[in-house]
Amino acid sequence: KAAIAAAATAGSGGLSAAAAIAAFWSQVVETQKTQTRREATLPIEATADAALVLEYMNSCADLCRSDACSVTLPATEQATADAAIRVVVEPTAASSLEPPPSPAREAAASTTREAALEQMMTWFTGALMACEIGDIDADADDAATDDETFVALGRSLLHTKSSEVTFAPTVQEMHADLWRLVAESDYLLDGSGGAALFVAPAFTNFEIFDDFSLLVRSGLRYLVSPKIEVHVYHPLARSERLRAPMPTVHIYLDNEDLFADGDGTLASLLGSM
């Protein structure tokens, strides 16, 4: 939040697209928590396209309308002319932030941030070991797929520079936490490359998580970089290869000049939190 606030008050002006989306979700979350009207004018930096940011915000606003929250945004022409987006969020009905209790959610809530990351790193290590590299007995296409999977996963893990473990109780707050992570990850915004790991132990509903990840993926590729890779894992994923112990979004931007800042270990990830 401090990074977003600093960008908003910078003399050279404006928020990155990612910071603007994070600020949008923060307004929604505060309205949900306080049940009071909130408004903010978000200046958009010159290198970002205010019209594109506004279009994505409108998609996000559609999600809010089904959750006792109404979002008013300006017309595209106004946002483009002002290089700023005025966001007005109003509660439309009282709603409980806490989802119904479930054994899975209760178990997730007792997980520590360190334990969540440790479980994911253990699972990633197992996923790498499961790739049969250079298997001469395997079908050529299968062998090539395994080799490519091993290289892609290993490279993205090695270059993971920051992480966030969130126990947010609502989908809106999950969006705010993820976009704040992206906004604070300069290597994703400036093209230098690297990966960010977002782990949400309590996000146990697979269908809602799937919708969440689709909206996030489109925003990242639309507003940050079309080259960004978004890998999504969940305990209830349809594909066995994506069935991880924790709901996770791994955001990776490759760069041929990329060198590892960390060593891909749990210790280096914890140091980034």
Side-chain angles (χ1 to χ4, degrees), residues 193-204:
L197 189 67
F198 180 82
V199 184
F203 211 152
T204 54

Side-chain angles (χ1 to χ4, degrees), residues 139-252:
D139 177 88
D141 290 339
D142 291 342
T145 299
D146 268 350
D147 288 357
E148 291 170 2
T149 299
F150 180 87
V151 171
L153 179 57
R155 185 169 170 80
S156 64
L157 288 174
L158 184 63
H159 295 296
T160 298
K161 299 179 178 181
S162 56
S163 61
E164 172 74 16
V165 178
T166 179
F167 296 91
T170 66
V171 175
Q172 290 79 11
E173 199 164 346
M174 295 279 189
H175 278 287
D177 288 347
L178 184 143
W179 280 100
R180 185 164 56 249
L181 171 65
V182 174
E184 294 172 353
S185 301
D186 292 341
Y187 54 87
L188 294 175
L189 308 184
D190 63 18
S192 57
L197 189 67
F198 180 82
V199 184
F203 211 152
T204 54
N205 187 310
F206 175 69
E207 291 185 1
I208 297 177
F209 179 78
D210 195 37
D211 290 342
F212 165 86
S213 62
L214 288 172
L215 183 58
V216 164
R217 180 183 278 112
S218 66
L220 289 169
R221 291 179 175 170
Y222 199 45
L223 299 175
V224 180
S225 171
K227 297 181 179 179
I228 275 186
E229 299 173 21
V230 183
H231 304 285
V232 179
Y233 307 94
H234 195 279
L236 300 178
R238 299 178 183 89
S239 170
E240 187 176 350
R241 285 194 174 193
L242 304 177
R243 213 169 290 152
M246 298 282 173
T248 299
V249 180
H250 199 198
I251 304 163
Y252 178 49

